[in-house]
Amino acid sequence: MKTVVQCEVNGEPREALVDPRDTLLQLLRDRLGLTGTKEGCSNGNCGSCTVLMAGAPVCACLVLAGEAEGAHITTIEGVADGNDLHPVQAALIQHGGTQCGFCTPGIVLSAVALLAETPQPTSGQIRHAIAGNICRCTGYDKIVTAIAAAAAEMQAGARQ
Amino acid sequence: MIVDLKHIGEMCSVVRTPDKGWRIGAAVSVRQLGANGDLARDYPGLIEAAQLIGSLQVQSRATLGGNLCNGAPSADAVPLMMSIEARVEIAGTRGRRMVNIESLPVAPGKVALTPDELLVAVLLPPRPARSAARYLRFTPRREMDIAIAGSGVAVRLGAAGEIAHARITLASVAPVPLRATKAEARLIGERPTAALLAEAARIAAGEAKPISDTRASADYRRELVAVLTRRALDACVAEAGVGGSKP
Amino acid sequence: MSDQAVIPLRVVGQRLPRVDAGERVTGRAIYPADLVRPGTLVGSIKRSPHGHAVIKSVDTTKALALKGVKAVVTGADFPEIVPGTIIPFGETGADLWVSALIVMARGKVLWVGQPVAAVAAVDEHVAAEALSLIEITYDVLPAVASIEAAMAKGACVLHPQHTTKGFEPGAAIPPNIGSRTLLERGDAELALTQSAATASIAVKVYTGHQGYIEPHACVAEADPQGNVTLWASSQGAHQTEIQTAGILGLPQSKLKVVPLELGGGFGGKITVHLEPVAARLAQISGRPVKMVMSRAEILAGGSGPPAAAQVSVEVGAEADGRLKAIAGRYVFDTGGIPGTPTTLLMQASAACYQTETLRLEGMDVVTSKPRTEAYRGPGGIQAAFAVEQAMDELAIKLGMDAVAFRQRNAAVTGSLMPAGTPFPSIGLTTILERVAAHASWRDPLPPGKHPRGRGLALGYWRGTSMTSAAQLTVAGDGRVMVTMGTVDISGTRTTMAQVAAEEMGLSIDDVHVATGDTKSSAYSDAAAGSRVGRTMAAAVVDACRDALGQLKGRAAERLQAPEVDVTYDRGVFRAGGNGGTAASITLGELMRQTLTDGAIIGRGVSTKLPFGVEVGAHVVDVEVDPETGQVTVLRYTAFQDVGRALNPTAVEGQMQGSVVQGLGWALTEAIDYDADGKVRNASLLDFRLPTALDVPPIDCVIIETPVPGVPYGLRGVGEMPIVPVAGAVANAVRRAIGVRVTNMPMTPERVLAALKNKAGNPA
Ligand SMILES: Cc1cc2nc3c(=O)[nH]c(=O)nc-3n(C[C@H](O)[C@H](O)[C@H](O)COP(=O)(O)OP(=O)(O)OC[C@H]3O[C@@H](n4cnc5c(N)ncnc54)[C@H](O)[C@@H]3O)c2cc1C
């Protein structure tokens, strides 16, 4: 039996009718049209569907849609303020940290979650933070560089 | 019917018990667990073990209760909990019961709960003086991988530096997490020399009952048990020897 | 055109960000799975559970009767296509029969996961139920799911009608051989017996996977007049159109393929998989049909993995290190359909070396596994895993430094390639000089907890050419749009915008580059074979020059000067040379004044460009835990001659991505087939792609030796850097622990086994 789920996505109240078998990923992509969250494995192994729930990164494919009731969710569509990019996004562009782009939304959210908790991460911490996000194009190098640059940028911004 | 356990208060909190042990709600996520500094001081090995589970994304969701009730022989948080002799509190329609954690797993994917029962909390005993507990696992990747073998070790040293108490629980080498009791027995009362620890680890490897599957051969798993157990014993002895406990 | 290199460049060679990165980092880039068309149905495939079986009957009645099911198709819904139905593709064409069988089985299933039927339904739940209602009866035949099983005496023959080519008359031919090729120069056998030192190795490589993160997906729609539109994520819109039209029996005028973003292909998205099925379901249902493969389908028969292989190599040299012979046997697993070529990979594995004699024998073997498909330098990494280990071992036996041994024998411009033709310009000796002088080779390896070693391997790939087309139009404000016939898999929109900006004397912001659909762009071969950067650049240069010629004519009219006196530089046409006083008009002004005189269309087609030979050397440091066999990669440096880096950031991205893919296969990635051809690890949990924690930073050293006759002297870039990886790691492992690991991936278990083997049989 389908039920209505109410939640807050990217700061906006949303509601949708979901099947008990539906995942949060299906809710976001198919019901709410937020297709920036990608499906790569449906198993929690690739991280393409990473979104934040109460600030914590989760794989949307492992969360039941019903569990989103009352939750605060951030998807890739909610990271930039309009076309005002988050420093992580700007740095990924600048440093060549996105190629095919399919893993990028998930990487962005993992990085945003990291920097919220650890503003000055080491490269080891950055690699750990994105270890649940598989990228097959970049070899990770430029992603790590970009996240480090974003952290520096945010630190500089915070000092001003 | 699907029941979401993440909103039941007592299942979502970590509290110190009057005996200076811990009561960890079965629905506490690994992410929350890691944020508890006091718990991490008492049982750093448990936090470390739990933080091996999947990825950060998985850890935002994964709970000790789920890790246990999933019934996987590879569950990373379970061997150490067995070795420190944790107990679990179970609630059912006929009331509550408390059991030794070791009695819970019965077969791959099966735990000794009746359909009307819920695991409410995991109870950790107070950490004894001069003790330590560590879990080591082996996976081909650093993360996002399932243990080919694992070994959760708890050691307490006696006044003379001898091993007063030892528990070894192995992952992924039997249908359920497996106690290596012969290896434990070999250690008790002995001075923890490198040779002794290595010998006990080899005994543990002999106790393992691994299978061959897509992840590894039985022989390789057995080898790993010896290596991981020895390394975990080394680490525990070193840690327990330097005090290993807060008062 | 070779004089290009001496003119200082403004835009080409710059580290510019990708022009399409903004939509990627915001999640706005549209891949087929994201596309929403009104009334879209979900398409889903029923796959073979058997590795080898005759399809006796397929009954779709119950599935068709299920409420919400709008169409069901089986092999009978597609025209018969016979082996040898050659369609245009690259230099040799491709056999449509192969694609047709990959898309839908006919008569017989040849691997687990081969499609047998498909449905379109209102949602995925109904589609899943419909699949379960399709009744198929099989006559199960013996499966031969490995090279050994397929070649064993008396093995069940998978294609009895197939004639094996390439053997000498009267030779005993093992079962299930697709074909055999031989590259021979001189008497290698004799030369080996005369060598002062020899080294040999036999390796076994297990099936890997391209591991693109975007699952195969497409959306198809058919209108009431029979026009079909296909939104695809493929490495070539035109290849998708030719294959799909052919498999459907549809005139190409009735099919439009629109390339959406491609979430990684690496060779695995050249052949069509879902597209013809989606199109047929759309035609039957009259509704748009979306198909998306699950990861389990991809790993278990839904896609074409790269080939498993068995390669044995023996090499010999004089005492002074001069190579006398390379002898190799390359047996490659083609999967369920014959025809995986071995010539190029054999060449590639030996190409970096000058040798007195050579004998390379290659075969493709048909097995009960998915038909193999291309993967970044197809076959190169498998072959080099053997050859580079043999070379390294030979250097050890000769007591020579690994770099010095390579320098002694390095191929140079004009030396003979394995196929017997002289090498076009290559900069291998420059690369080796750079390696010898570089910290990654000279710095002592710092000691660690466990044994450490440093390995070197060389790589080669022949950047192919084929054909590329671009058209350029000029807007009323003088800004430029280029439409390419290729898709963008490596930042092509950006690099081609750089080329067009350079040629047109504009800034990159004045140029827009689009990947055209098949009805708005001209035929171009797929984005594959390290060809697009070079050949599309040549097409774009052509298109720019064509357009500039037309523009000069108009400028001459406006400036009332003879056309020969008009020059163009950075957006300004001048009459009578560059002198300050002469009359001039800007490109923008010219277009404002003359747009309505008619469009400017620049035409650019490149074909038969010289090959963009790619060579490189990789240096890697590893640490090996001798108790668990785990290999940790500590440091990695990749040296590569790219002719000229159009955009160094993009070049490094290709190199770093290739290396990490190579590390994955070298150490952890393999599809595990059981004896019946069933996959035991069809998930990204157990098919282990490297995570960010499994690899170190990848340092890149770019060397630029231009290729004459190619704009900017460009070489191929994207494939070579996977070729040496496994060999380099194996050589580092050998130097760390004294043993050769001959099975790839070099899993911890295999490394430990190799160590124990050594302990058991001291040399
Ligand atoms: C991508 C991925 C990687 C993983 N990697 C690892 C790993 O490295 N190591 C490892 O050990 N595990 C791993 N796991 C499995 C891991 O054990 C579980 O994901 C997690 O620990 C389970 O916690 P959960 O709260 O999410 O339980 P769920 O998945 O929600 O539940 C698991 C089972 O236990 C039951 N259950 C849960 N809580 C209770 C309760 N309180 N009372 C009664 N029954 C209950 C559920 O009904 C279900 O049957 C991985 C899983 C995924 C998806």
Side-chain angles (χ1 to χ4, degrees):
Chain A
M1 200 192 64
K2 297 203 175 185
T3 50
V4 174
V5 166
Q6 295 186 317
C7 54
E8 197 183 283
V9 181
N10 301 326
E12 295 166 11
R14 304 297 292 259
E15 62 176 42
L17 200 59
V18 303
D19 186 289
R21 292 170 292 186
D22 285 350
T23 62
L24 174 60
L25 181 59
Q26 286 163 320
L27 168 65
L28 294 171
R29 287 180 57 86
D30 303 341
R31 313 276 179 274
L32 304 180
L34 297 170
T35 56
T37 305
K38 303 300 178 200
E39 176 162 24
C41 76
S42 348
N43 225 12
N45 306 139
C46 79
S48 303
C49 65
T50 302
V51 299
L52 307 184
M53 275 178 94
V58 298
C59 290
C61 72
L62 295 182
V63 179
L64 285 171
E67 292 180 79
E69 177 64 38
H72 292 252
I73 293 158
T74 307
T75 71
I76 187 65
E77 289 86 354
V79 173
D81 182 1
N83 274 335
D84 210 354
L85 297 179
H86 187 282
V88 166
Q89 294 171 307
L92 284 168
I93 295 177
Q94 197 55 39
H95 294 272
T98 177
Q99 287 189 29
C100 86
F102 200 79
C103 74
T104 306
I107 298 261
V108 168
L109 285 151
S110 287
V112 166
L114 167 73
L115 298 184
E117 281 178 4
T118 313
Q120 288 175 283
T122 62
S123 66
Q125 287 172 317
I126 294 173
R127 284 182 183 269
H128 178 66
I130 60 167
N133 297 82
I134 306 288
C135 169
R136 194 62 163 168
C137 294
T138 65
Y140 302 105
D141 203 290
K142 295 187 188 302
I143 295 174
V144 175
T145 308
I147 296 172
E153 169 82 25
M154 287 165 78
Q155 284 299 103
R159 272 196 302 273
Q160 275 165 15
Chain B
M1 193 185 62
I2 297 166
V3 181
D4 191 348
L5 306 177
K6 294 182 200 64
H7 302 283
I8 302 173
E10 66 163 319
M11 292 184 67
C12 300
S13 55
V14 180
V15 291
R16 244 206 207 287
T17 51
D19 67 348
K20 296 259 190 269
W22 290 93
R23 185 178 193 281
I24 302 172
V28 171
S29 72
V30 172
R31 184 182 160 89
Q32 289 166 298
L33 210 58
N36 191 311
D38 291 335
L39 176 64
R41 265 186 296 281
D42 268 10
Y43 288 110
L46 175 63
I47 308 291
E48 249 176 43
Q51 288 177 343
L52 292 171
I53 296 174
S55 59
L56 291 180
Q57 288 94 322
V58 173
Q59 289 163 27
S60 295
R61 313 261 313 145
T63 64
L64 292 187
N67 202 237
L68 251 170
C69 296
N70 217 15
S74 59
D76 283 316
V78 176
L80 186 133
M81 290 196 286
M82 286 193 183
S83 287
I84 61 174
E85 294 158 76
R87 288 169 308 149
V88 293
E89 190 179 324
I90 294 163
T93 46
R94 287 152 300 161
R96 297 212 171 197
R97 63 189 176 109
M98 194 85 95
V99 302
N100 204 321
I101 200 167
E102 214 179 313
S103 65
L104 214 56
V106 290
K110 274 218 173 66
V111 286
L113 290 181
T114 56
D116 67 319
E117 285 183 321
L118 260 186
L119 198 136
V120 180
V122 175
L123 287 116
L124 311 184
R127 176 172 172 179
R130 289 173 66 76
S131 77
R134 292 285 169 178
Y135 169 77
L136 295 179
R137 74 166 187 185
F138 185 81
T139 56
R141 284 191 290 189
R142 299 298 180 281
E143 274 204 9
M144 188 46 69
D145 217 335
I146 299 297
I148 284 178
S151 182
V153 168
V155 168
R156 182 164 56 80
L157 299 181
E162 84 289 2
I163 297 179
H165 185 77
R167 287 254 176 157
I168 300 170
T169 312
L170 307 176
S172 292
V173 291
V176 294
L178 180 77
R179 280 273 304 283
T181 47
K182 290 187 187 127
E184 292 169 2
R186 179 69 190 82
L187 293 165
I188 308 294
E190 301 282 337
R191 290 201 59 81
T193 61
L196 176 78
L197 302 187
E199 186 194 336
R202 276 194 301 277
I203 296 172
E207 292 181 79
K209 301 181 183 71
I211 55 162
S212 296
D213 63 14
T214 185
R215 292 182 183 139
S217 71
D219 285 347
Y220 183 55
R221 289 195 151 104
R222 218 182 270 283
E223 297 268 344
L224 288 174
V225 167
V227 176
L228 297 169
T229 303
R230 195 198 69 231
R231 290 180 182 177
L233 281 168
D234 279 343
C236 284
V237 166
E239 192 181 332
V242 295
S245 151
K246 351 185 272 58
Chain C
M1 268 195 255
S2 52
D3 60 348
Q4 274 296 331
V6 298
I7 301 169
L9 300 173
R10 297 173 304 111
V11 196
V12 161
Q14 300 297 312
R15 287 186 179 271
L16 297 176
R18 282 181 74 127
V19 295
D20 48 12
E23 62 178 37
R24 285 169 158 66
V25 302
T26 51
R28 292 178 209 161
I30 298 293
Y31 306 79
D34 304 331
L35 187 70
V36 180
R37 300 286 300 167
T40 300
L41 302 174
V42 172
S44 208
I45 291 197
K46 176 94 174 171
R47 297 181 180 277
S48 165
H50 303 297
H52 188 200
V54 172
I55 304 169
K56 286 185 65 185
S57 67
V58 183
D59 185 349
T60 60
T61 350
K62 284 182 190 156
L64 266 169
L66 183 69
K67 195 169 155 63
V69 173
K70 303 296 177 183
V72 181
V73 297
T74 68
D77 292 286
F78 299 87
E80 188 64 32
I81 290 166
V82 297
T85 307
I86 302 301
I87 51 168
F89 181 73
E91 286 127 21
T92 53
D95 190 345
L96 188 63
W97 175 64
V98 175
S99 305
L101 286 188
I102 287 171
V103 165
M104 192 62 71
R106 328 278 169 106
K108 207 166 135 170
V109 290
L110 293 158
W111 62 86
V112 172
Q114 191 180 11
V116 184
V119 302
V122 292
D123 67 31
E124 62 266 37
H125 305 301
V126 178
E129 197 183 339
L131 290 184
S132 72
L133 293 173
I134 296 174
E135 289 166 1
I136 305 174
T137 50
Y138 294 97
D139 248 352
V140 178
L141 301 170
V144 288
S146 66
I147 290 174
E148 293 95 325
M151 289 176 72
K153 216 169 158 190
C156 182
V157 174
L158 300 180
H159 292 276
Q161 79 291 354
H162 178 78
T163 18
T164 302
K165 292 196 196 73
F167 280 89
E168 287 90 24
I173 307 177
N176 290 308
I177 305 297
S179 66
R180 171 180 178 265
T181 45
L182 190 65
L183 294 176
E184 198 163 19
R185 195 169 74 231
D187 189 340
E189 232 162 273
L190 182 67
L192 283 169
T193 62
Q194 296 167 343
S195 295
T198 62
S200 66
I201 191 163
V203 306
K204 192 165 163 179
V205 179
Y206 290 81
T207 306
H209 198 269
Q210 300 87 350
Y212 31 79
I213 306 300
E214 181 212 16
H216 295 263
C218 66
V219 178
E221 191 170 306
D223 78 7
Q225 290 168 300
N227 297 298
V228 177
T229 305
L230 191 57
W231 290 271
S233 83
S234 102
Q235 288 178 240
H238 291 278
Q239 277 64 55
T240 299
E241 179 178 297
I242 290 182
Q243 293 174 78
T244 304
I247 290 169
L248 295 174
L250 195 67
Q252 280 181 250
S253 56
K254 291 285 176 195
L255 178 63
K256 175 166 84 174
V257 177
V258 184
L260 299 182
E261 293 309 326
L262 174 76
F266 313 113
K269 293 180 182 168
I270 303 169
T271 299
V272 290
H273 300 87
L274 300 171
E275 293 81 354
V277 178
R280 187 60 99 220
L281 289 168
Q283 287 177 315
I284 294 172
S285 65
R287 302 262 295 265
V289 174
K290 181 187 287 187
M291 300 189 79
V292 183
M293 256 191 237
S294 72
R295 185 59 59 178
E297 285 181 285
I298 292 172
L299 289 169
S303 71
Q310 294 184 6
V311 184
S312 47
V313 179
E314 187 169 6
V315 292
E318 306 274 24
D320 66 358
R322 193 175 58 85
L323 260 184
K324 283 184 69 71
I326 305 176
R329 184 166 184 269
Y330 303 72
V331 182
F332 272 65
D333 180 349
T334 181
I337 310 171
T340 292
T342 51
T343 314
L344 186 53
L345 67 92
M346 292 196 291
Q347 279 226 59
S349 70
C352 289
Y353 301 91
Q354 295 191 48
T355 173
E356 194 179 300
T357 67
L358 166 130
R359 185 180 199 278
L360 309 180
E361 179 190 26
M363 280 180 244
D364 67 315
V365 181
V366 190
T367 62
S368 306
K369 285 160 70 175
R371 172 53 147 80
T372 59
E373 291 173 33
Y375 179 30
R376 209 162 201 160
I381 185 171
Q382 300 97 306
F385 180 58
V387 174
E388 287 300 315
Q389 289 203 70
M391 292 295 178
D392 196 56
E393 203 53 41
L394 187 55
I396 291 172
K397 285 194 174 168
L398 291 163
M400 283 180 82
D401 168 77
V403 174
F405 172 73
R406 263 81 171 189
Q407 285 178 312
R408 180 77 182 79
N409 297 294
V412 296
T413 307
S415 69
L416 286 188
M417 299 178 75
T421 48
F423 249 114
S425 115
I426 68 165
L428 184 55
T429 44
T430 315
I431 291 176
L432 289 169
E433 275 165 32
R434 293 287 291 276
V435 174
H438 197 267
S440 62
W441 185 252
R442 296 182 46 163
D443 282 358
L445 238 173
K449 196 157 119 205
H450 300 303
R452 292 180 166 193
R454 174 168 295 161
L456 167 83
L458 305 187
Y460 162 96
W461 199 252
R462 187 199 77 179
T464 185
S465 286
M466 310 190 187
T467 187
S468 291
Q471 70 228 27
L472 181 146
T473 57
V474 187
D477 65 355
R479 288 353 191 257
V480 158
M481 181 178 82
V482 177
T483 306
M484 307 187 291
T486 60
V487 301
D488 179 347
I489 63 168
S490 54
T492 314
R493 291 184 187 96
T494 310
T495 47
M496 293 309 117
Q498 290 179 263
V499 169
E502 189 72 51
E503 293 293 323
M504 297 299 291
L506 301 172
S507 119
I508 193 166
D509 294 326
D510 296 328
V511 178
H512 180 94
V513 176
T515 53
D517 65 50
T518 55
K519 295 296 166 270
S520 67
S521 68
Y523 182 80
S524 299
D525 281 306
S530 296
R531 57 171 291 276
V532 165
R534 265 174 320 119
T535 65
M536 188 53 81
V540 170
V541 166
D542 260 15
C544 291
R545 293 187 181 171
D546 185 12
L548 275 174
Q550 298 169 39
L551 288 164
K552 262 188 195 165
R554 286 191 186 185
E557 263 178 45
R558 292 280 142 177
L559 299 174
Q560 298 183 332
E563 198 177 322
V564 288
D565 288 347
V566 175
T567 59
Y568 177 74
D569 185 35
R570 295 186 213 183
V572 185
F573 293 93
R574 286 194 174 81
N578 279 325
T581 52
S584 69
I585 186 168
T586 64
L587 174 58
E589 188 52 32
L590 181 67
M591 285 312 296
R592 265 187 292 281
Q593 292 179 20
T594 68
L595 180 65
T596 53
D597 293 353
I600 299 286
I601 306 176
R603 168 191 184 275
V605 176
S606 78
T607 179
K608 302 196 171 63
L609 223 55
F611 291 134
V613 165
E614 310 167 57
V615 285
H618 288 187
V619 176
V620 58
D621 294 348
V622 303
E623 178 167 304
V624 184
D625 182 335
E627 289 187 316
T628 64
Q630 187 148 46
V631 175
T632 302
V633 181
L634 304 168
R635 179 176 181 177
Y636 205 106
T637 311
F639 299 76
Q640 185 171 345
D641 183 357
V642 301
R644 163 143 228 152
L646 280 175
N647 182 329
T649 304
V651 167
E652 288 164 1
Q654 290 294 306
M655 292 169 71
Q656 292 167 334
S658 287
V659 168
V660 169
Q661 284 188 320
L663 289 174
W665 200 356
L667 295 169
T668 55
E669 295 168 16
I671 301 186
D672 182 11
Y673 296 93
D674 72 11
D676 298 323
K678 292 198 172 70
V679 173
R680 302 199 293 181
N681 62 338
S683 78
L684 292 185
L685 191 58
D686 286 316
F687 184 85
R688 302 181 180 93
L689 306 172
T691 74
L693 284 175
D694 296 307
V695 294
I698 310 298
D699 298 324
C700 300
V701 180
I702 296 175
I703 288 140
E704 298 183 312
T705 315
V707 185
V710 180
Y712 311 112
L714 302 173
R715 292 177 185 276
V717 171
E719 289 179 292
M720 192 298 293
I722 196 174
V723 173
V725 181
V729 173
N731 290 341
V733 168
R734 159 70 175 83
R735 306 256 172 182
I737 58 173
V739 292
R740 295 239 160 243
V741 184
T742 53
N743 282 349
M744 175 180 148
M746 293 172 273
T747 58
E749 182 165 2
R750 293 190 180 127
V751 173
L752 193 66
L755 263 171
K756 295 213 143 167
N757 212 15
K758 175 181 91 162
N761 324 282

